[in-house]
Amino acid sequence: MSGRVLVGVKRVIDYAVKIRVKPDNSSVVTDGVKHSMNPFCEIAVEEAVKMKEKKFIKEVVVVSCGPQQAQETIRTALAMGADRGIHVDVTGKDYDNLGPLQVSKIMAALAKKEEAQLVILGKQAIDDDCNQTGQMTAALLDWPQGTFASEVTLEGDKMKVVREIDGGLETIKINTPAVITADLRLNTPRYATLPNIMKAKKKKIDKVKPADLGVDITSRLEVLRVDEPPHREAGVKLETVADLVDKLKEAGTI
Amino acid sequence: MANPLRGQVIKLYKTLLYLGREYPQGAAYFRGRLKSAFMKNKDVEDPEKIQKLVARGDFVIKELEALYFLRKYRAMKKRYYEPEK
């Protein structure tokens, strides 16, 4: 076993930013908006780094797809403890149309090329909320998958994964190599402080193009329209209980 | 000023300043408070006292990291998970 783990990270609009839709309803405003690593991807990186610290694996390779700014996200992962990074250069219209199918093809190609033992991804990105990349990557590689993982334990050449599902937890045992997607309670990601970021500047980031990996990134989807969610209407204050009963009867709820 | 500690103090300031970019009340507000906190102690000579202040700075770093984590965790939990019954 190579002892190498591949972690995918995505650069998304920061979770605390108020999202604005462009006036032409084509997409969301991204220019000048604060971006950071997808929170679930942070958890994925942390899990890989933890495995390395416990000596279960030897090398953590972090991958991000996008324009030059994707390297900032890779740098953050390197500051958290990853060993090296791979920046898959995708820009312009190609980047706008980059979705789970394209990314999973890239991850699968890289997993084979790097002879990865494990691929860890965040369960979903907070911008598109697809929750598909991990599953598609596993399917393309024909590897088992442990999705919504809240606990991962390596047991020899197998892996025990506790999954968060509706109504509780499910424990499964899968063979390696495998794909894991990280859920919120998997771990507590460490903060990439300035000293760590400085140290990480020495780590290598390779730049490749999807064509170099033999991957076709044409999208089969077209975004027709983007709208803001409906505004919540203001509540109405009532004077007496009788008024409340009348209003509820009006609304047809009683 | 005690020279070896000067480097430590500057490093602490830079680390805190970097952390302050994410501060909920704004990076500018944080920078103002950070600068005045450091300026208040600029005439401290005793190396032991300086070490104590640096340790307090390290504590603040830990507090900020915890604050940021909790904010993010609570936001994610609220957005993606059903409220517990």
Side-chain angles (χ1 to χ4, degrees):
Chain A
M1 281 272 117
S2 69
R4 192 171 294 134
V5 170
L6 208 63
V7 182
V9 296
K10 187 178 181 185
R11 179 174 180 263
V12 297
I13 296 179
D14 188 81
Y15 82 99
V17 167
K18 183 160 190 341
I19 308 292
R20 300 229 123 77
V21 176
K22 285 189 187 152
D24 62 357
N25 290 101
S26 61
S27 61
V28 148
V29 176
T30 52
D31 284 338
V33 174
K34 180 169 185 225
H35 283 66
S36 50
M37 193 191 295
N38 181 39
F40 294 107
C41 297
E42 287 177 350
I43 299 173
V45 173
E46 177 67 26
E47 195 62 20
V49 173
K50 270 207 169 80
M51 284 184 184
K52 194 182 85 160
E53 287 172 347
K54 290 189 201 152
K55 307 238 194 292
F56 288 138
I57 53 130
K58 292 197 207 103
E59 193 186 22
V60 177
V61 180
V62 116
V63 180
S64 193
C65 306
Q68 189 59 25
Q69 295 96 318
Q71 293 210 3
E72 290 164 17
T73 316
I74 298 176
R75 289 256 166 252
T76 308
L78 293 171
M80 284 172 73
D83 295 297
R84 62 183 165 90
I86 300 175
H87 167 214
V88 182
D89 193 23
V90 182
T91 54
K93 273 257 157 268
D94 284 338
Y95 179 60
D96 294 335
N97 293 330
L98 200 70
L101 180 59
Q102 293 74 26
V103 174
S104 57
K105 284 184 189 172
I106 292 171
M107 291 302 296
L110 280 169
K112 285 199 199 119
K113 182 165 178 254
E114 297 287 331
E115 294 176 337
Q117 188 180 331
L118 192 58
V119 174
I120 311 183
L121 302 169
K123 73 164 181 175
Q124 68 197 75
I126 59 171
D127 53 5
D128 57 23
D129 285 319
C130 285
N131 196 317
Q132 298 166 351
T133 310
Q135 291 84 339
M136 284 180 173
T137 309
L140 287 168
L141 288 165
D142 198 22
W143 286 6
Q145 57 188 262
T147 54
F148 308 100
S150 68
E151 199 184 310
V152 173
T153 328
L154 284 164
E155 294 176 354
D157 61 348
K158 294 201 197 296
M159 197 154 41
K160 191 177 84 174
V161 181
V162 178
R163 306 178 57 231
E164 294 208 23
I165 59 172
D166 288 347
L169 299 169
E170 179 194 52
T171 308
I172 59 171
K173 202 169 205 173
I174 54 176
N175 291 324
T176 54
V179 176
I180 300 288
T181 70
D183 209 326
L184 190 63
R185 282 162 271 249
L186 182 58
N187 58 48
T188 305
R190 64 199 67 188
Y191 200 86
T193 54
L194 191 61
N196 290 333
I197 294 202
M198 289 293 139
K199 276 185 234 154
K201 286 201 167 164
K202 300 189 198 116
K203 299 183 185 175
K204 206 164 65 121
I205 299 182
D206 290 317
K207 197 165 169 178
V208 296
K209 287 208 161 290
D212 301 339
L213 302 166
V215 171
D216 166 28
I217 55 166
T218 45
S219 174
R220 291 142 170 82
L221 298 174
E222 184 194 338
V223 175
L224 299 174
R225 200 187 155 85
V226 176
D227 282 301
E228 283 192 10
H231 292 287
R232 269 188 71 189
E233 281 181 25
V236 179
K237 268 189 165 155
L238 301 163
E239 295 292 309
T240 70
V241 175
D243 283 348
L244 176 62
V245 173
D246 285 339
K247 282 272 175 192
L248 286 173
K249 280 198 177 142
E250 240 178 81
T253 44
I254 54 166
Chain B
M1 216 218 291
N3 268 317
L5 292 174
R6 182 184 169 82
Q8 242 188 326
V9 171
I10 291 178
K11 194 173 171 199
L12 175 69
Y13 186 85
K14 283 186 183 167
T15 306
L16 279 166
L17 193 59
Y18 183 80
L19 263 175
R21 297 173 322 160
E22 253 192 83
Y23 199 67
Q25 277 148 291
Y29 171 83
F30 183 89
R31 196 173 63 237
R33 294 290 298 266
L34 176 67
K35 185 142 190 223
S36 54
F38 270 65
M39 281 299 153
K40 206 169 68 178
N41 294 312
K42 72 175 160 95
D43 293 320
V44 174
E45 297 277 318
D46 180 13
E48 232 188 84
K49 285 212 183 88
I50 295 177
Q51 292 280 40
K52 275 215 180 92
L53 289 169
V54 168
R56 204 165 85 195
D58 287 333
F59 178 72
V60 171
I61 291 174
K62 290 272 170 295
E63 292 266 281
L64 283 170
E65 288 178 5
L67 168 73
Y68 294 161
F69 168 71
L70 277 172
R71 269 180 87 221
K72 194 177 283 190
Y73 179 85
R74 285 189 185 134
M76 292 299 114
K77 188 158 179 243
K78 194 171 165 198
R79 287 179 203 175
Y80 289 102
Y81 300 87
E82 288 298 312
E84 313 218 344
K85 295 193 185 84

